[in-house]
Amino acid sequence: MPLQIPDPVLGAWAKGFPARAAGLRLSEVGQAGLHLSDLVTPVLTVHADALTHNEQTVFAWAAQQGVGLAPHGKTTMAPALWQRLLDAGAWGISVATPWQAEVAVTAGVPTVLIANAVTDAAAARRLGELLAADHDLRILCWADAVDGVRILADALSDAARPLDVLVELGGAHGRTGARSVEEGERIAAAIAAAPGLRLAGVTGYEGPFGPDRSAASVAAVDAYLDTLVELHRRLDYPEGPRPVVSAGGSSFPDRAAAVLSPLAPEADVVLRSGAFQIHDDGFYARMSPFGPLTGTAPLRSAMHAWSRVVSQPEDALALLDAGRRDVPFDLDLPVPQSVEGEITALNDQHAFLRLADGAAAAVGEVVRLGLSHPCTAFDKWRVVAVIDDPDADDPRVIGAVATCF
């Protein structure tokens, strides 16, 4: 199903795009003859071939595992990139907030999974209105407490169609989620008793239980996933759509598939891994199982930043024009890829590049940066250029995508 893809007219607001692009619609950028050298640093780019490689790799693997994918759309908040996921066979698109859900529904996403509890009564009523307006639309959200279920039930007591609600199960030292299977059962009973709600399955997030890929972390993740299976098997679901069992961040999708896929004959097993489409050169490069652990090709980073040297005030120190407003820094600092050295700090608008012995970066030179964590890369950009080959001398700009942050 084709989505409504934003197609704004570019202007000075489109960070990174040159004055000659002003007046172009986003859909016209690929035919404008632009190259990377025409863009204004700092700039974020997406590599088209890496996107395709990552999508094909993960969707083929998921099909072999017998699991569905509802990738986290919050990673990019870019309907054009969501369209690629749906075209590849995504079960749906996950989001984190009711506002993001409305963006997805407005774009035309047919199945939207809010991977969070909705405790705002006004937002819950709005979800009911969206469901009433489109009988082909499915919206699912989470609940991890009976009090939260009461908020939903009060807001949707007169709803034309029930809201699908999944019981979120967590665990000690986790994030949100009921802290025991027994509490999960009580939440499920409250959902089942509410006229405006429908018990739709169980869900959770295994990421907090495994900070790395050590044997202890994998065992902790598996133990948590086992509790999801136990809760699912204790529940009685109403007639209607198959129940959903959902887990799977971008660090342990292999473990989620291994533990949950035996439920596929009786439930829709849905992984929400969202970072795989873009991947990175930092956290997910270290954590992602794709490659030897899954018997697939490794994923490739589809994003890079390009930043210009604006000053070299000391020997072996260069200041770049990309800072915290341009590149992610929450998990790892950017990594220079076209010159030897290390980014040691970021200010709002500058990066401190400590050059390796014998390396040089002249004032005016553009440095390619590898990035970590796509979720906090895309939120800094309203338009992202799509290039053909980041290793070319002067990559061609073959398109652009708009974000909806």
Side-chain angles (χ1 to χ4, degrees):
M1 163 174 193
L3 300 185
Q4 297 295 315
I5 307 298
D7 194 19
V9 176
L10 300 189
W13 61 270
K15 181 170 69 170
F17 281 79
R20 63 175 279 200
L24 290 175
R25 285 205 169 273
L26 194 75
S27 57
E28 299 171 333
V29 168
Q31 290 75 49
L34 295 173
H35 287 76
L36 181 67
S37 60
D38 295 308
L39 304 182
V40 181
T41 59
V43 66
L44 179 72
T45 63
V46 167
H47 178 204
D49 288 348
L51 277 180
T52 299
H53 166 80
N54 295 345
E55 293 157 356
Q56 290 177 346
T57 298
V58 176
F59 276 94
W61 169 83
Q64 292 172 351
Q65 303 302 308
V67 300
L69 295 174
H72 239 312
K74 73 178 178 66
T75 300
T76 64
M77 286 302 293
L81 297 179
W82 299 348
Q83 181 75 73
R84 295 174 62 104
L85 296 168
L86 292 171
D87 289 346
W91 180 91
I93 296 293
S94 294
V95 295
T97 68
W99 167 75
Q100 291 175 359
E102 180 133 17
V103 172
V105 171
T106 301
V109 176
T111 300
V112 180
L113 172 58
I114 303 173
N116 221 332
V118 176
T119 57
D120 179 333
R125 287 191 291 272
R126 179 57 182 157
L127 297 178
E129 292 169 357
L130 293 171
L131 287 168
D134 183 355
H135 281 253
D136 294 324
L137 172 66
R138 190 178 188 194
I139 300 175
L140 307 92
C141 72
W142 298 3
D144 73 347
V146 171
D147 287 347
V149 174
R150 291 195 188 105
I151 293 171
L152 290 176
D154 290 344
L156 296 167
S157 59
D158 297 323
R161 296 176 59 206
L163 175 68
D164 283 338
V165 184
L166 283 69
V167 179
E168 182 193 0
L169 186 64
H173 311 300
R175 198 167 64 182
T176 53
R179 284 334 200 215
S180 70
V181 170
E182 292 72 23
E183 178 62 17
E185 289 182 284
R186 289 190 284 273
I187 295 164
I191 296 167
L197 309 179
R198 178 168 58 192
L199 178 62
V202 300
T203 188
Y205 175 48
E206 74 284 355
F209 302 98
D212 51 39
R213 293 293 308 197
S214 67
S217 288
V218 170
V221 166
D222 285 1
Y224 164 71
L225 293 167
D226 284 336
T227 65
L228 277 184
V229 174
E230 180 183 356
L231 177 58
H232 163 73
R233 288 181 169 155
R234 289 193 188 188
L235 301 185
D236 293 320
Y237 296 102
E239 294 293 327
R242 279 158 50 94
V244 175
V245 179
S246 177
S250 296
S251 297
F252 296 98
D254 58 323
R255 301 314 311 152
V259 175
L260 302 182
S261 61
L263 299 176
E266 64 197 64
D268 287 347
V269 177
V270 177
L271 308 187
R272 303 183 308 277
S273 314
F276 74 83
Q277 186 182 32
I278 301 298
H279 199 52
D280 71 7
D281 284 307
F283 179 75
Y284 290 113
R286 297 191 297 271
M287 291 293 291
S288 174
F290 291 100
L293 287 177
T294 55
T296 68
L299 303 183
R300 295 156 53 190
S301 179
M303 65 176 180
H304 299 92
W306 308 79
S307 184
R308 196 176 303 272
V309 179
V310 293
S311 176
Q312 193 169 3
E314 303 171 12
D315 290 343
L317 175 64
L319 276 295
L320 310 182
D321 63 0
R324 295 185 177 198
R325 299 186 179 192
D326 312 299
V327 293
F329 56 91
D330 55 321
L331 295 181
D332 301 283
L333 292 176
V335 176
Q337 295 181 326
S338 57
V339 62
E340 291 187 36
E342 178 186 7
I343 302 295
T344 58
L346 293 177
N347 292 158
D348 284 354
Q349 308 286 178
H350 293 94
F352 290 73
L353 169 59
R354 182 63 60 178
L355 295 163
D357 290 345
V363 171
E365 180 178 342
V366 173
V367 176
R368 184 174 106 178
L369 300 174
L371 306 177
S372 181
H373 201 193
C375 292
T376 51
F378 277 72
D379 65 341
K380 297 169 176 59
W381 296 86
R382 296 171 67 186
V383 180
V384 180
V386 180
I387 60 174
D388 64 341
D389 182 3
D391 295 322
D393 289 339
D394 193 7
R396 292 186 304 118
V397 177
I398 59 174
V401 295
T403 67
C404 298
F405 285 102

